[in-house]
Amino acid sequence: MQFRKDLLIIPASPDLAEWLNIYNGQVFRFRAVNGDAHLECLGPEDEARNIPINITSRARGELKFVSNFAETPFYLDDELYGSVEGFWQSLKFPDLERRREIALLHGAKAKDSGHHAPPADTIDYCGRTIRVGTWEHWELMERASMAKFEQNERARNALLSTGTRPLAHEARPDSKTIPGVIMAAIWMRCRSVWQTA
């Protein structure tokens, strides 16, 4: 063995090669125990270092069901929505018929529909006028997200699969009305409810 600053080099051997193959990409804690060197496996690097999981419409595997773009139908206040994105974009339209049409959309179609909305810094929801980008607006988005996870087992399981790792929503460009940090915090609060259920 060779000792260098911040580095321990162990000569190659068949046993070591097999061990390295099993634990490749894992993080270890080095400890001295009774004069021996012990390496304790802390798990895969991303988990051990608690690296945030970035949730966007491009998330891979089951994590895509956490995204607002995912087709995850849910009811909120007796209205059907095709996705959280469909929910949000539909609220930009004052016309109820148009609103219900957009509400059923998901993915890029839902997002793109919002480009045709009349400019406004408030929305009307269930008889309330809500200023966009305020705490009240974010609470409404949290209610929609909670309804989605409550009513979609696949989305809920995907959210729970993230364990306790921090979530992020680093989309480009970032939303001015629901910044990524706000959306990620909403997901983590939803997750904490289901983790204790």
Side-chain angles (χ1 to χ4, degrees), residues 53-70 107-108 111 169-173 187:
I53 300 170
N54 188 26
I55 304 291
T56 68
S57 61
R58 294 188 177 102
R60 294 180 182 199
E62 292 296 298
L63 290 180
K64 67 185 173 194
F65 292 102
V66 177
S67 165
N68 293 339
F69 275 36
K111 181 175 178 145
H169 182 56
E170 296 172 3
R172 296 290 178 258
W187 290 327

Side-chain angles (χ1 to χ4, degrees), residues 54-128:
N54 188 26
I55 304 291
T56 68
S57 61
R58 294 188 177 102
R60 294 180 182 199
E62 292 296 298
L63 290 180
K64 67 185 173 194
F65 292 102
V66 177
S67 165
N68 293 339
F69 275 36
E71 184 176 9
T72 50
F74 65 92
Y75 284 91
L76 183 64
D77 297 318
D78 299 321
E79 290 289 336
L80 176 63
Y81 298 95
S83 64
V84 172
E85 189 68 23
F87 166 77
W88 169 239
Q89 299 301 336
S90 73
L91 297 181
K92 296 179 179 181
F93 293 84
D95 177 66
L96 288 180
E97 188 175 316
R98 182 76 174 125
R99 191 179 266 200
R100 286 186 174 125
E101 181 182 304
I102 292 168
L104 300 175
L105 299 177
H106 64 277
K109 284 185 180 179
K111 181 175 178 145
D112 292 346
S113 70
H115 298 307
H116 306 293
D121 62 353
T122 62
I123 56 165
D124 290 318
Y125 184 77
C126 292
R128 292 170 34 219

Side-chain angles (χ1 to χ4, degrees), residues 137-155:
H137 168 209
W138 300 338
E139 286 180 318
L140 183 57
M141 288 298 287
E142 188 160 338
R143 282 190 63 220
S145 296
M146 185 58 80
K148 163 191 160 169
F149 293 119
E150 182 178 298
Q151 297 169 41
N152 288 271
E153 184 178 8
R154 192 171 194 180

